[in-house]
Amino acid sequence: MAEISLREVYGKTLVELGRLNPDIVVLDADLSKSTMTRYFAETFPDRFFNVGIAEQNLISIAAGLAASGKIPFASTFAVFAPGRCFDQVRMSVAQPHLNVKIVTTHGGITVGEDGITHQAIEDLALACALPGFTVVVPADATETAQVIRVAAEIEGPFYIRLPRMKLPDILGEKYRFVPGKAGELKPGDDLTIAAIGVMVAPALKAAGLLQQMGIEARVLNVSTLMPLDVDAIIKAAQETGAIVTAEEHLEHGGLGSAIARETAKKFPVPMEMVALNSYAQSGKPEDLLKRYGLTAEDIVQAARRVVERKKR
Amino acid sequence: MTSNLNVPSDRISFSISDLQEVARRIRRNIVTMIHKAGSGHPGGSLSAVEIVTTLYFKVMRHNPSDCRWSERDRFILSKGHAAPLLYAVLAEWGYIPSEELMTLRQIDSRLQGHTECRLVPGVEMSAGALGQGLSFSIGMALAGRLDKQNYRVYTLLGDGECDEGQVWEAAMAAAHFKLDNLTAIVDNNGIQLDGFNKDIMNIEPLAMKWQAFGWEVIEVDGHSFPQLIEAFNNVKTIKGKPAVIIAHTIKGKGVSFMENNPDFHGKAPNSEELAKALKELG
């Protein structure tokens, strides 16, 4: 399966959108060569604003542009937004519900060698703490292009997190991203594996391994973390009776927390969370995923545990 | 009481004595609103009365019956704790009914303790966490340039607010983007919540800082209408860079026991104090 850079797709999709809509503007904080907003900068220099290394300024300027009818896409690394500019995102974007699209790259531990200061594993918790935000973590190139287009069309603030590394194109050309809806990638009744972003491909691989053991796992791509597709989650809880969540984020405040919150209220079932519980370290992305328990094998182990618990 | 004009700003011309009368009414409303609310920030509202009055009555094009008019000049209150001042000015123009002023800070009122832009017509930006308004204004000024609109953006900052690092991120960026449609005004009253700036966090030399960041700097007596009017006329002629008006003001201006008194940064006058204040304001 071809591996594609989601950042490249983001940058090129922005250029397409820029051609269609003159109100689209793009901001970056001296990382345009990494976030790939540079394609937009090269094509539409008048509509691109590089604010230098100043993330607070980045977000508040984007808010002022949005308040003036523009559709700003503001990009930096996930470790810097919303972390470095949380107050700006809160007061200048979330509270007035302005049409700012924050798209970050280099999310999670798979940023790799740059080390723990550059590994954003709290960003989704921060973003999901902001009422009115739509928080999306695309799983592959196909989904990324669609998410960016949808974000440009829908009024309101978005936080979209992309990884640094390339990902396999797993969803296929027929896939349609619908904001607020989880996509069922594989049917199954023994348990549900709900995954986002980098962890969707391992979730599918895990489901294949489980199938060889006679366990049929339903796989959900919960790309919209907020608003969560509560119907699909509760349906999965009722029909499969057990859930494993998989995310490249801290267990606190991410996908697992969000799903547990909803099932606890409406239909509690045994759950396991494949997620991070601490900061990681420098290393190759694949080595880090192994060391910190974010592989298909880890999902299989969690699935077997949760199916055992379900039987009790 | 307010004048409740409710007409486009360019339909009427105001004399200096008109402005003085407006400022007197606004000051009376500020202290009364804050007394009624039982909390709020009189000091930094009173210090900026002439600045904001000059903008709304002499400088800015705006229309109370169409607060989203695309060609309007924008006023951004970055020091959001001076909300009572902005509300009182908006009531003068009929953006909000003057009776509503006395609902400040109460449950179900549109008049939040710090400004909220979705609730109140004429409020451009939610503020309260300091330091964000100048950056927000850059966004508005860039949008105006992209859309080939000739509106101007006026941003009121506190001097204590200049402690915030983001103010200087914005100062650098506005000069870099050559935003001559953006004017900042610093309400330089010398006092922040905990005391005098010079004791808490010295911001001097303030004019040299703005100059070093690439801004045209004009210093005025922030309670002098003629000086403010002249300064705002001058900034419109400056090309290729933003301008800042450093307005030297007195915190709590107009009420003797609030003047230069850090205690009245964020404290409401009690009934006795209100009576005394209203008597002094006339």
Side-chain angles (χ1 to χ4, degrees):
Chain A
M1 204 174 290
E3 298 218 328
I4 303 174
S5 160
L6 276 52
R7 295 181 280 145
E8 282 283 331
V9 172
Y10 168 52
K12 287 175 177 165
T13 307
L14 277 182
V15 173
E16 285 172 30
L17 289 171
R19 289 208 175 91
L20 297 171
N21 188 343
D23 282 333
I24 291 192
V25 295
V26 177
L27 300 94
D28 207 300
D30 194 37
L31 291 170
S32 68
K33 291 177 183 171
S34 297
T35 63
M36 297 303 164
T37 60
R38 70 186 182 94
Y39 296 132
F40 191 93
E42 288 157 7
T43 317
F44 304 106
D46 293 347
R47 286 193 268 149
F48 176 79
F49 306 106
N50 197 331
V51 303
I53 308 161
E55 293 78 16
Q56 302 177 19
N57 209 25
L58 173 82
I59 297 301
S60 300
I61 293 176
L65 283 157
S68 311
K70 301 297 169 195
I71 305 169
F73 281 76
S75 281
T76 179
F77 288 171
V79 73
F80 302 131
R84 182 80 184 222
C85 47
F86 187 76
D87 186 34
Q88 286 72 17
V89 178
R90 173 184 174 274
M91 190 183 81
S92 291
V93 180
Q95 292 189 345
H97 199 71
L98 284 172
N99 198 21
V100 174
K101 319 300 176 183
I102 301 169
V103 183
T104 65
T105 65
H106 296 60
I109 58 171
T110 52
V111 63
E113 292 85 344
D114 277 350
I116 65 168
T117 64
H118 275 53
Q119 293 167 358
I121 59 173
E122 320 89 335
D123 59 317
L124 298 175
L126 290 171
C128 286
L130 296 160
F133 253 78
T134 300
V135 179
V136 190
V137 188
D140 74 354
T142 302
E143 188 165 47
T144 300
Q146 294 185 26
V147 167
I148 299 304
R149 286 193 197 102
V150 165
E153 280 166 20
I154 296 180
E155 179 86 19
F158 272 67
Y159 178 74
I160 299 165
R161 181 223 244 193
L162 304 175
R164 174 184 178 219
M165 67 175 193
K166 294 178 178 178
L167 292 182
D169 211 22
I170 48 174
L171 297 173
E173 279 177 16
K174 286 183 185 160
Y175 178 83
R176 287 294 166 267
F177 167 74
V178 180
K181 293 288 169 204
E184 186 179 305
L185 306 184
K186 178 192 170 301
D189 291 327
D190 294 328
L191 81 152
T192 299
I193 304 171
I196 46 169
V198 166
M199 296 307 292
V200 175
L204 281 170
K205 187 180 170 195
L209 295 168
L210 287 163
Q211 199 166 40
Q212 291 167 17
M213 302 171 196
I215 299 171
E216 288 295 340
R218 178 179 304 185
V219 179
L220 293 181
N221 171 25
V222 193
S223 39
T224 312
L225 195 46
M226 193 165 86
L228 193 68
D229 188 349
V230 177
D231 290 346
I233 298 299
I234 298 306
K235 187 165 174 272
Q238 288 167 340
E239 292 177 0
T240 71
I243 298 174
V244 172
T245 58
E247 62 194 308
E248 191 194 8
H249 186 271
L250 282 176
E251 198 173 272
H252 332 295
L255 176 71
S257 297
I259 289 180
R261 186 181 64 229
E262 296 305 327
T263 55
K265 284 189 282 189
K266 298 184 180 76
F267 197 86
V269 294
M271 279 186 70
E272 293 283 335
M273 296 180 193
V274 175
L276 295 161
N277 282 296
S278 67
Y279 288 113
Q281 59 177 304
S282 282
K284 288 195 175 70
E286 52 270 35
D287 292 343
L288 293 173
L289 289 170
K290 263 185 210 145
R291 176 69 64 85
Y292 292 94
L294 301 182
T295 65
E297 290 69 30
D298 294 297
I299 297 172
V300 167
Q301 295 302 323
R304 296 182 68 174
R305 285 198 301 273
V306 86
V307 168
E308 276 306 307
R309 286 170 58 198
K310 179 182 155 182
K311 287 178 191 160
R312 278 181 225 153
Chain B
M1 292 307 291
T2 64
S3 52
N4 206 342
L5 298 162
N6 211 4
V7 290
S9 61
D10 53 6
R11 297 275 178 81
I12 328 174
S13 173
F14 299 92
S15 68
I16 299 290
S17 66
D18 292 337
L19 298 183
Q20 283 162 344
E21 174 55 19
V22 168
R24 188 186 67 85
R25 270 201 309 268
I26 289 172
R27 284 204 161 87
R28 289 181 63 90
N29 276 328
I30 288 169
V31 292
T32 310
M33 289 162 78
I34 295 173
H35 164 74
K36 187 106 199 312
S39 65
H41 300 82
S45 297
L46 293 170
S47 61
V49 170
E50 282 78 13
I51 298 166
V52 183
T53 301
T54 304
L55 281 168
Y56 273 86
F57 287 78
K58 271 302 213 197
V59 178
M60 286 169 35
R61 289 171 308 169
H62 62 104
N63 184 354
S65 61
D66 184 8
C67 65
R68 308 306 298 170
W69 178 39
S70 63
E71 291 169 44
R72 72 191 184 283
D73 291 326
R74 273 76 165 163
F75 174 68
I76 303 297
L77 181 69
S78 190
K79 44 173 287 186
H81 54 283
L85 164 60
L86 180 55
Y87 297 149
V89 172
L90 293 175
E92 288 285 333
W93 282 95
Y95 284 93
I96 54 173
S98 53
E99 312 83 74
E100 194 175 340
L101 289 178
M102 298 308 147
T103 68
L104 174 71
R105 288 176 170 248
Q106 291 169 31
I107 193 162
D108 292 333
S109 169
R110 294 189 293 179
L111 307 185
Q112 299 292 294
H114 296 76
T115 50
E116 214 284 72
C117 63
R118 285 207 293 177
L119 292 174
V120 186
V123 172
E124 301 278 1
M125 176 192 152
S126 297
L130 293 170
Q132 301 185 29
L134 194 56
S135 305
F136 190 89
S137 304
I138 290 172
M140 287 192 143
L142 287 171
R145 181 193 281 173
L146 278 176
D147 291 340
K148 300 191 167 48
Q149 296 261 22
N150 64 356
Y151 66 74
R152 300 185 60 83
V153 185
Y154 298 95
T155 311
L156 181 63
L157 306 168
D159 52 2
E161 182 175 10
C162 294
D163 294 356
E164 290 281 4
Q166 188 185 357
V167 170
W168 302 102
E169 292 184 1
M172 202 185 299
H176 178 80
F177 293 133
K178 301 183 169 54
L179 293 174
D180 51 21
N181 55 351
L182 171 63
T183 301
I185 308 101
V186 179
D187 178 10
N188 193 190
N189 61 35
I191 294 175
Q192 53 197 122
L193 191 150
D194 270 344
F196 293 90
N197 297 351
K198 63 181 168 52
D199 300 323
I200 305 305
M201 181 50 62
N202 181 31
I203 58 166
E204 293 297 339
L206 191 57
M208 284 171 69
K209 285 190 174 76
W210 287 96
Q211 275 161 4
F213 276 79
W215 288 57
E216 185 74 20
V217 179
I218 300 172
E219 297 196 62
V220 299
D221 172 350
H223 301 303
S224 160
F225 283 116
Q227 285 190 34
L228 285 163
I229 292 166
E230 190 191 351
F232 282 117
N233 284 334
N234 284 342
V235 296
K236 289 180 189 172
T237 66
I238 294 160
K239 298 295 169 202
K241 60 175 170 176
V244 58
I245 297 173
I246 298 179
H248 298 288
T249 58
I250 295 167
K251 193 136 180 169
K253 171 74 175 176
V255 179
S256 61
F257 58 91
M258 291 185 182
E259 286 192 2
N260 276 320
N261 181 356
D263 292 345
F264 276 97
H265 167 87
K267 190 178 82 165
N270 61 29
S271 299
E272 266 173 53
E273 289 163 339
L274 176 68
K276 192 167 178 232
L278 290 175
K279 196 175 168 198
E280 287 182 20
L281 290 168

